[in-house]
Amino acid sequence: MTRITLVEGDITEQQVDAVVNAANSSLLGGGGVDGAIHRKGGPQILEECRRLRASQYGRGLRTGQAVATTAGDLPARWVIHTVGPVYLVEEYGERAELLASCYRESLRVAVELGARTVAFPAVSAGVYGWPPAGAARIALGTVAEVTADPGFGGGLEEARFVLFGRETYEVFEDVGRELGSTGRE
Ligand code: APR
């Protein structure tokens, strides 16, 4: 059974097999988590992203998709890049599905890689403007649902949400308690 945990901290410092990046469709870097991962992980990550853009991701990574690269100088082995939806209340339903897909696809890639531990940021809850409580409900609900499925690869020991700042951590903690789906570190 995959443990779902919450920690407050910097995702680039996590000792896990795979770190999920809140990327954009260009795969060529940005601010927030994306900026931190490329800054700390070093140029190998961007080099591999460029190769992806020059091959099967010529038009970039679509919202809700996920793709892995090396983690470069990070403590992790892989970075799993995923593109969250920008928050738009008029299209809430469709975009909530895309946000859930970020977690589903990232978990699928993590299992394909053979990762035993994976760290997630609060995808779309920063620049992309998703209200943290809504982002937390989708994130924790999706990861709990996918990892509880009997057909889910048994190799994933931990899905760790790494929240940047006390406020976001407490939102995730409250939602996790509400959903009854997380242990707390
Ligand atoms: N570790 C963990 N979480 C972090 C870190 C970090 N080092 N830095 C930021 N965060 C948090 C933010 O506080 C927010 O809660 O990650 C969450 C996601 O914020 P963003 O990184 O802004 O990601 P997102 O909202 O998905 O927007 C993606 O921003 O950086 C650009 O290139 C990126 O265009 C893309 C967009």
Side-chain angles (χ1 to χ4, degrees), residues 31-142:
V33 174
D34 203 4
I37 284 174
H38 281 281
R39 197 168 44 251
K40 296 268 190 77
Q44 303 157 60
I45 301 176
L46 189 57
E47 280 157 26
E48 208 169 315
C49 287
R50 285 216 172 94
R51 283 200 291 276
L52 289 170
R53 283 299 310 273
S55 52
Q56 69 262 48
Y57 290 91
R59 298 164 58 90
L61 189 62
R62 284 208 322 274
T63 301
Q65 278 190 322
V67 69
T69 66
T70 174
D73 302 326
L74 295 182
R77 287 182 63 187
W78 301 285
V79 172
I80 297 173
H81 306 266
T82 192
V83 180
V86 174
Y87 182 71
L88 185 65
V89 66
E90 296 79 8
E91 298 181 8
Y92 185 83
E94 182 188 329
R95 292 186 181 218
E97 256 316 298
L98 285 170
L99 185 54
S101 172
C102 287
Y103 292 97
R104 273 187 228 289
E105 286 302 297
S106 297
L107 285 168
R108 180 184 59 75
V109 171
V111 168
E112 269 174 18
L113 293 168
R116 287 170 303 108
T117 52
V118 62
F120 289 100
V123 178
S124 291
V127 164
Y128 281 0
W130 211 280
R137 204 160 290 119
I138 293 166
L140 293 169
T142 303

Side-chain angles (χ1 to χ4, degrees), residues 9-12 22-24 29-36 84 121-129 162-164 168:
D10 182 337
I11 202 163
T12 63
N24 60 57
V33 174
D34 203 4
V123 178
S124 291
V127 164
Y128 281 0
V162 184
L163 291 325
F164 205 55
T168 309

